[in-house]
Amino acid sequence: MYHLWRKTAAVFLFSSLLALPAFAAEKAVSADVAEVAAVEVTGSRLAESTADIPAQTYVITREDIDNSAARDVQDVLSKVPGVNGLLNSASMAQDKYVSVRGLTTEVLLLVDGVPYMGTNYGTGSMGNPFDLRGISLTDVDRIEVVKGAGSAIYGSNAAGGVINIITRKPSDKSSGSITAEGGNREWFRGSVRGTVVISDDLRVFAGYTRTQEGETKIKLVNPATGLYDYARDYRGNDYYFGFANGPWAFKAELGDYKSEWDNTYLGFPTNNDSQKNEYKRFMLNYADGVNTGRVFYYDNNRDYTYNRLFTTNYRDKVFGVTYNRKQELGTLPFVFGMDFRHENGNVSVSTFTDDMYDKSRNEYAPYIETSIPIGDAAFDIGLRYEYWDIDGGEDAHEFIPRFSLNWANKNGLMYYVTAGRYFSMPSFYHIFGDESSGVIGNPNLKPEKGWTYDIGVKDDTAKNPWNFNIFYMNMKDKINYTSRQISEYVYEGQYINVDEYRAWGFEGQYKWNFHENWSYTQGLSYLHAEEKTGSSDWTRSNMPRWDISGILNFKKDPWNAELSAHYYGDRQLTNAVYDEEDIFIVNAAVSWKVDRTTIKLACVNLFDKEFYLNNNGYINPERRFILSAIYEF
């Protein structure tokens, strides 16, 4: 215990030392600055817009979402070059997540700036630290995606990139809306939301969304048999409420969703699996343009029933406090702060009398960020120190820097070179295992570590915005699963630090506004990723190397229309049963708005083409038509 308190005290002392120069600065932040509304930008605590971030950045607005054929957050994120949301995209029945630069578990999801990730997950293609179904698309205001290492800013898991989902805030006047949409495959979504302005400062808001989906193909068991696994049913409810009063804001989000699907077992696709999920998120936020503070708590509870035989319960509870302050030291801008995070992970099985595990860990992380002018250029520095105290496991600590040299001309064109270290903690599932699934715990697992290097150019403020970036990344101590067969149908495995991962590629996007009513956006991403296990040779990742998208938009009141096409090429499947045909999917949407009413017709997979997404026979969404109506009051 003494050893723990000594380390904890050292962390807080380091945080205080970082803060002293700023507090001692003769030039404090002016009163005018303090009156400016707080601006938070993903990827930097100093920047005032994503155009100022020396990295590949993308912003998807509420208007972009409304004009698209997207059914959920995963669909929306797939519009970003190099963000792959194909797996489990056919239905809402199973977990939804994305990969960035070929990584899945090393992608950090933020909801309103707060890391939203679980503690009980595996790794590889089925290891997802978050489930995007727990974020209602009707509650999303915009999404910001920043590629490259973000651990120096946000901490663990931010290796491939950071995704920040910013939810809707209360409007400036009392108002509301009602949404109803339906389609084939028994699709239904209904939503109601509203804001009541009580005074000049105080606004109260609330909303509810109901989502349903029926029988849907999700997996082809074997092309020779023609048998499919089906998602049988999905039902979801999302609630939120809160208030905003001057610099203070509070929001609560609660929801539940349950689903059933067939899961092939020993070659017979007749066994029924199901999930029942509940989530709660609470956040109290203070921001005055100089000081930003948050207190947050979330609780994710998932029951996973296998073949109707037994149920495994996974529960994640997280409490956190974060504070940062903007300050000037002489003429240099600084942001310094401290993050505290307490995580609790519990896994239990209905057929066992004792829990698989019930463990906790604490994170203490002081950080500082500054920008040093060098002529017409700037040298940005982000420094973060993390210390993790793990219950029953090996404690971890890491110093995480990020450096960027960037230059922007007077027209807004920015050139940048960035190097960032990343640091990804193993999950409780990795460390403590799950006896019911034959997973042996490994309390000696090390965190994944590596560097990402980016060089690029961007012009987000031009009439025709564009960007292009080349990157290289490497990872040591990559966590992977290894197993051995101990009987005819029983396997035993463990997560170990044996792998390395490296990848290089390029990404770019160009939006051509060629007419006052027409625009075309071209996205491009190439990923050459390789993995290495122990002393074996490097082998290519099974991720598609090419990710090419094109989006054509038309806007002329009262009409809006979008036609989008997505191509995934140069794929490699290790299971010879499935075809490696390149994937090409087309979606379309058209909407009509008069006064307070909007009608939209959308189609997913317009040509109803079926492709195999991975070695297990998962398939892309079947063709779906969705008709929606929105009334604002």
Side-chain angles (χ1 to χ4, degrees):
M1 180 63 70
Y2 171 75
H3 184 61
L4 168 61
W5 279 108
R6 186 179 64 180
K7 287 188 174 182
T8 304
V11 171
F12 278 102
L13 177 60
F14 180 58
S15 177
S16 302
L17 291 174
L18 289 179
L20 282 175
F23 278 120
E26 295 181 0
K27 184 176 180 180
V29 178
S30 68
D32 293 338
V33 173
E35 295 175 0
V36 176
V39 176
E40 287 192 75
V41 178
T42 308
S44 172
R45 294 183 172 90
L46 282 174
E48 296 184 356
S49 75
T50 55
D52 301 328
I53 305 297
Q56 198 82 348
T57 58
Y58 302 88
V59 178
I60 303 170
T61 65
R62 184 68 226 181
E63 183 180 13
D64 296 331
I65 296 171
D66 290 339
N67 292 340
S68 73
R71 301 160 299 159
D72 51 57
V73 174
Q74 185 190 55
D75 286 350
V76 174
L77 287 169
S78 293
K79 296 164 71 75
V80 177
V83 177
N84 185 329
L86 283 173
L87 194 59
N88 292 347
S89 62
S91 78
M92 298 288 288
Q94 297 175 321
D95 298 12
K96 286 183 171 288
Y97 53 96
V98 295
S99 64
V100 179
R101 292 184 175 177
L103 301 174
T104 302
T105 56
E106 300 86 358
V107 177
L108 180 62
L109 177 71
L110 309 176
V111 179
D112 293 322
V114 172
Y116 183 56
M117 54 189 180
T119 62
N120 303 304
Y121 59 89
T123 194
S125 61
M126 298 304 293
N128 47 303
F130 52 81
D131 185 354
L132 293 170
R133 294 178 300 172
I135 303 168
S136 173
L137 186 61
T138 58
D139 190 34
V140 176
D141 180 64
R142 72 182 187 277
I143 302 176
E144 298 178 352
V145 179
V146 179
K147 298 288 193 68
S151 291
I153 308 298
Y154 298 107
S156 184
N157 285 58
V162 177
I163 300 168
N164 191 9
I165 298 176
I166 295 97
T167 60
R168 288 179 164 182
K169 302 301 185 290
S171 58
D172 294 331
K173 60 181 180 180
S174 297
S175 60
S177 66
I178 299 174
T179 302
E181 61 183 47
N184 56 331
R185 311 297 172 194
E186 301 176 49
W187 175 265
F188 169 79
R189 177 180 283 147
S191 175
V192 59
R193 56 182 296 112
T195 298
V196 176
V197 177
I198 298 177
S199 67
D200 291 342
D201 291 331
L202 181 59
R203 294 166 290 165
V204 179
F205 60 98
Y208 167 70
T209 299
R210 169 73 171 181
T211 305
Q212 297 179 183
E213 184 182 58
E215 185 175 284
T216 306
K217 292 179 182 178
I218 57 175
K219 177 181 176 183
L220 180 60
V221 179
N222 189 315
T225 63
L227 294 176
Y228 286 88
D229 281 355
Y230 285 86
R232 298 299 183 185
D233 186 69
Y234 174 85
R235 299 288 185 271
N237 300 285
D238 301 281
Y239 308 83
Y240 72 87
F241 59 90
F243 70 84
N245 186 9
W248 293 93
F250 170 79
K251 189 170 187 178
E253 298 168 292
L254 305 94
D256 61 83
Y257 48 101
K258 57 183 180 179
S259 57
E260 298 179 358
W261 68 92
D262 292 338
N263 186 40
T264 304
Y265 181 67
L266 301 181
F268 299 97
T270 57
N271 302 283
N272 183 263
D273 285 3
S274 63
Q275 280 192 43
K276 182 179 179 181
N277 302 265
E278 295 178 348
Y279 70 87
K280 303 172 186 176
R281 294 192 294 267
F282 304 94
M283 184 176 72
L284 178 64
N285 187 74
Y286 176 85
D288 60 15
V290 175
N291 302 283
T292 300
R294 287 193 182 95
V295 179
F296 61 89
Y297 172 81
Y298 64 78
D299 184 340
N300 293 329
N301 192 24
R302 180 180 69 169
D303 288 331
Y304 196 124
T305 301
Y306 304 83
N307 194 26
R308 297 183 179 177
L309 295 177
F310 61 92
T311 299
T312 302
N313 175 261
Y314 301 90
R315 189 163 191 179
D316 301 285
K317 293 185 289 185
V318 176
F319 169 78
V321 180
T322 181
Y323 169 78
N324 66 69
R325 177 180 174 85
K326 292 183 178 180
Q327 191 82 42
E328 289 186 358
L329 177 60
T331 59
L332 296 181
F334 276 86
V335 172
F336 60 89
M338 178 75 181
D339 290 342
F340 168 78
R341 181 182 177 93
H342 172 80
E343 298 181 345
N344 174 256
N346 174 272
V347 174
S348 60
V349 184
S350 59
T351 55
F352 287 68
T353 56
D354 297 323
D355 291 349
M356 294 297 97
Y357 59 81
D358 186 355
K359 299 293 184 177
S360 298
R361 63 186 180 190
N362 295 320
E363 174 203 17
Y364 307 91
Y367 57 83
I368 190 168
E369 186 179 353
T370 188
S371 182
I372 303 171
I374 305 175
D376 294 331
F379 183 56
D380 296 345
I381 303 173
L383 304 175
R384 182 183 180 96
Y385 176 78
E386 285 200 10
Y387 170 67
W388 286 84
D389 166 40
I390 302 174
D391 179 15
E394 184 177 347
D395 294 350
H397 59 91
E398 188 72 16
F399 178 67
I400 314 169
R402 188 178 75 171
F403 308 101
S404 177
L405 181 63
N406 55 88
W407 174 77
N409 65 21
K410 61 181 180 181
N411 296 320
L413 185 67
M414 174 185 283
Y415 302 89
Y416 60 86
V417 178
T418 300
R421 184 164 177 78
Y422 55 79
F423 171 75
S424 188
M425 285 292 295
S427 71
F428 283 134
Y429 193 88
H430 295 150
I431 298 172
F432 302 111
D434 179 358
E435 184 180 346
S436 66
S437 300
V439 179
I440 303 171
N442 185 353
N444 298 315
L445 272 179
K446 301 174 184 177
E448 299 174 328
K449 303 175 184 179
W451 285 85
T452 290
Y453 308 91
D454 290 85
I455 180 170
V457 58
K458 56 189 265 187
D459 193 346
D460 294 339
T461 60
K463 177 184 176 181
N464 299 315
W466 64 280
N467 58 64
F468 184 78
N469 181 81
I470 300 173
F471 68 89
Y472 173 78
M473 63 188 307
N474 60 64
M475 180 185 298
K476 301 292 185 182
D477 292 326
K478 192 175 190 298
I479 297 172
N480 200 12
Y481 180 74
T482 182
S483 65
R484 64 186 181 93
Q485 189 171 3
I486 59 177
S487 67
E488 184 177 3
Y489 300 121
V490 179
Y491 288 81
E492 183 180 77
Q494 188 178 49
Y495 291 97
I496 57 177
N497 292 111
V498 296
D499 284 6
E500 296 181 56
Y501 177 85
R502 66 186 183 190
W504 66 269
F506 52 84
E507 306 156 327
Q509 188 178 70
Y510 181 84
K511 184 176 182 180
W512 182 27
N513 296 297
F514 59 90
H515 187 272
E516 60 180 348
N517 304 123
W518 293 89
S519 67
Y520 175 77
T521 303
Q522 179 66 62
L524 174 67
S525 173
Y526 178 80
L527 172 71
H528 184 97
E530 296 177 308
E531 298 175 346
K532 182 179 181 180
T533 303
S535 60
S536 64
D537 295 331
W538 288 95
T539 60
R540 67 168 285 181
S541 168
N542 61 7
M543 297 295 296
R545 286 183 172 174
W546 287 103
D547 177 351
I548 303 174
S549 61
I551 303 173
L552 179 66
N553 289 99
F554 171 79
K555 181 177 181 180
K556 185 177 182 180
D557 291 338
W559 296 97
N560 279 282
E562 178 177 292
L563 180 67
S564 64
H566 218 128
Y567 168 80
Y568 299 92
D570 194 1
R571 307 195 305 139
Q572 177 175 287
L573 303 183
T574 57
N575 190 337
V577 173
Y578 302 106
D579 193 346
E580 292 185 1
E581 182 182 4
D582 292 342
I583 298 173
F584 183 72
I585 299 176
V586 178
N587 301 329
V590 59
S591 62
W592 174 80
K593 181 177 183 179
V594 173
D595 296 329
R596 300 179 178 181
T597 303
T598 303
I599 306 294
K600 183 173 79 170
L601 176 64
C603 180
V604 177
N605 194 1
L606 183 64
F607 299 113
D608 201 23
K609 290 281 291 180
E610 182 177 280
F611 302 96
Y612 311 123
L613 304 181
N614 70 359
N615 298 316
N616 297 315
Y618 281 91
I619 59 175
N620 59 281
E622 298 176 83
R623 180 165 56 196
R624 179 166 306 172
F625 294 96
I626 299 174
L627 180 64
S628 61
I630 303 173
Y631 178 72
E632 300 171 310
F633 57 88

